Amino acid sequence: MEMSELRTLLTAEGLSLLDGTEPLESLSDVTRTVSRMRAAGHSPELVTAVVGQVSLRARAKSKFGDFADRMLFTRAGLEQATRLGVAARHAQRMRGAGITSVADLGCGIGGDALAFAGAGLRVHAVDADEVTSAIAAYNLAPFAGDVSVQHGTAESADLSGVDAVWMDPARRTSGHSETRRVTASDYSPSLDWAFELASRVPTGIKLGPGHDRDALPADAEAQWVSVDGSVVELVLWTGVLARNEVRRAALVIRGDHSYELTAGADAEDAPVRELGAYLHEPDGAVIRARLIGDVARSLEAGMLDEHIAYLTSDAALTSPFVQSFRVRETMPANPKAINAVLKANSIGTLEIKKRGMDIDPAAFRKKLTLRGDESATLVLTRIGSRRIAILADRVHAE
């Protein structure tokens, strides 16, 4: 989206047309809507802007819920925005630490700032991109009395009068649609600058979950966050925003519930043991935080292989930090052996999981014969040099 297109949209005509347009669920819906708008005399530029925003609002529902219905987006801004439920937890941490005002440096479309303002914090939001900062100002307009939005760089922002800083360094090339990832040395603002500021001011820094652990400040709390099984971010917390004696944390969010595992350092892995009655797959946030050993000990479990993040136990225990499976039987990880077991168990519906094996589950599924009324999970993995398949049933926590 260019600034001229945004200005066209930010008019009484544009916003009225946008808010009055129903969701577009198919290509034929788009075609009919465009034809109707053009016949009504609306300009091609406005029609393009409105149709684009209607599409983005529909996609934004998964991150912003009903708030998406009154927000504006760029494609790149939506992809990079923090989910509102996650941002709300960041805001809660700030409130809990006694923070009353925060500078959001690199605010994007305003997702985090929206949560901060909603929690009652005063927010100074800054973004280096003119279009993005204008969209953030629109999205944050309901909190105009407590929020200011500035077009400018993080490095030039005035931090006087704020208690804390939130940063989401740009990890992609600039632009509003097609962008590409850049290396950590090219983040904006630079991580050296961000880490130096964080050493002086209470700060939260959002990074990609796969960020090099060896490059993290030793005195910061590193919190990996997963949402419904997908690891979405790593946040570094410093100053009063970092919890005492916590340096590693895994926050697991599932639906409306959240669970957290914390430690002062990476956990020592549990010993390797033979496959038992249960197999456990740790959540990705637990794996990234290297707290698998702590989870293993809580489940009376050991590692299935020292290099692969599967746990196994005989105890009928599970936790929010793993997906648990009751083992039926094992076999060699080849289609012939697996098909024989599937037939014997009348398996017609099969979930396939893999770890430690270079296999495409979708392609592997085509080699399997599924007939019957039963369902199960097939885990493809290895123990040492042995490639095995495990037929199992999911265990659902009560």
Side-chain angles (χ1 to χ4, degrees):
M1 176 183 288
E2 300 300 326
M3 181 55 75
S4 60
E5 186 178 337
L6 180 59
R7 289 195 182 101
T8 301
L9 186 62
L10 291 176
T11 60
E13 176 192 9
L15 294 175
S16 176
L17 188 61
L18 173 59
D19 291 339
T21 302
E22 296 294 324
L24 306 175
E25 299 179 355
S26 66
L27 182 58
S28 60
D29 285 347
V30 173
T31 302
R32 282 194 300 270
T33 298
V34 169
S35 297
R36 176 176 54 79
M37 290 180 179
R38 292 293 291 120
H42 299 295
S43 70
E45 187 176 41
L46 177 56
V47 171
T48 298
V50 167
V51 169
Q53 286 300 315
V54 170
S55 174
L56 289 171
R57 281 181 170 182
R59 289 172 52 192
K61 283 280 192 179
S62 62
K63 284 191 173 182
F64 292 96
D66 291 340
F67 284 91
D69 292 337
R70 67 146 311 275
M71 295 175 69
L72 298 181
F73 303 94
T74 64
R75 194 168 119 195
L78 175 56
E79 289 174 355
Q80 297 165 40
T82 304
R83 290 162 175 79
L84 192 56
V86 176
R89 287 172 171 83
H90 300 334
Q92 290 166 7
R93 178 185 285 239
M94 291 197 177
R95 284 295 303 269
I99 301 300
T100 60
S101 59
V102 58
D104 185 349
L105 306 183
C107 67
I109 61 169
D112 285 294
L114 193 66
F116 297 153
L121 302 176
R122 296 192 310 279
V123 183
H124 178 50
V126 179
D127 199 272
D129 182 80
E130 184 180 17
V131 170
T132 304
S133 61
I135 286 177
Y138 177 86
N139 291 338
L140 294 165
F143 299 98
D146 295 311
V147 175
S148 62
V149 181
Q150 175 189 349
H151 170 220
T153 64
E155 295 89 342
S156 65
D158 180 4
L159 302 183
S160 60
V162 299
D163 302 329
V165 168
W166 172 261
M167 275 186 277
D168 184 358
R171 300 185 292 279
R172 305 185 73 91
T173 54
S174 61
H176 307 132
S177 55
E178 295 296 336
T179 61
R180 60 176 176 79
R181 293 188 182 278
V182 298
T183 60
S185 60
D186 292 323
Y187 286 4
S188 180
S190 73
L191 289 184
D192 286 344
W193 183 87
F195 291 166
E196 194 282 327
L197 178 62
S199 70
R200 296 184 286 108
V201 180
T203 300
I205 304 176
K206 176 183 171 182
L207 298 170
H211 192 85
D212 182 4
R213 292 168 53 95
D214 293 335
L216 302 179
D219 57 350
E221 175 189 335
Q223 180 190 48
W224 283 263
V225 182
S226 73
V227 178
D228 296 330
S230 177
V231 188
V232 296
E233 65 182 32
L234 158 64
V235 182
L236 300 182
W237 300 102
T238 69
V240 296
L241 294 173
R243 291 168 290 187
N244 291 334
E245 300 183 1
V246 174
R247 289 296 174 266
R248 297 290 179 261
L251 176 61
V252 175
I253 301 171
R254 294 183 180 170
D256 295 329
H257 301 283
S258 62
Y259 313 87
E260 191 171 28
L261 190 65
T262 63
D266 295 354
E268 180 182 355
D269 282 342
V272 173
R273 54 153 291 175
E274 293 291 325
L275 178 65
Y278 294 90
L279 183 74
H280 309 281
E281 180 182 36
D283 185 89
V286 172
I287 296 172
R288 295 282 190 183
R290 293 186 185 168
L291 298 179
I292 300 173
D294 287 346
V295 173
R297 284 178 278 278
S298 74
L299 298 173
E300 301 175 17
M303 302 288 292
L304 188 62
D305 179 282
E306 63 178 333
H307 301 297
I308 297 175
Y310 278 135
L311 304 173
T312 186
S313 70
D314 289 313
L317 300 172
T318 187
S319 93
F321 303 110
V322 298
Q323 296 180 69
S324 296
F325 304 87
R326 183 181 294 104
V327 175
R328 289 200 196 188
E329 55 185 296
T330 65
M331 67 224 77
N334 65 71
K336 182 177 180 180
I338 293 170
N339 276 327
V341 173
L342 295 178
K343 181 179 179 181
N345 286 273
S346 301
I347 303 299
T349 303
L350 188 68
E351 172 191 29
I352 301 177
K353 303 180 74 67
K354 64 103 175 182
R355 184 162 285 171
M357 290 177 60
D358 187 15
I359 287 177
D360 177 0
F364 193 82
R365 180 183 295 275
K366 296 177 181 178
K367 302 176 182 179
L368 304 179
T369 302
L370 299 172
R371 294 195 187 93
D373 299 325
E374 299 297 316
S375 62
T377 297
L378 183 71
V379 179
L380 303 171
T381 190
R382 61 177 175 81
I383 301 176
S385 60
R386 231 175 4 115
R387 293 157 58 97
I388 67 166
I390 304 170
L391 189 69
D393 298 302
R394 275 187 175 274
V395 176
H396 298 284
E398 296 182 0

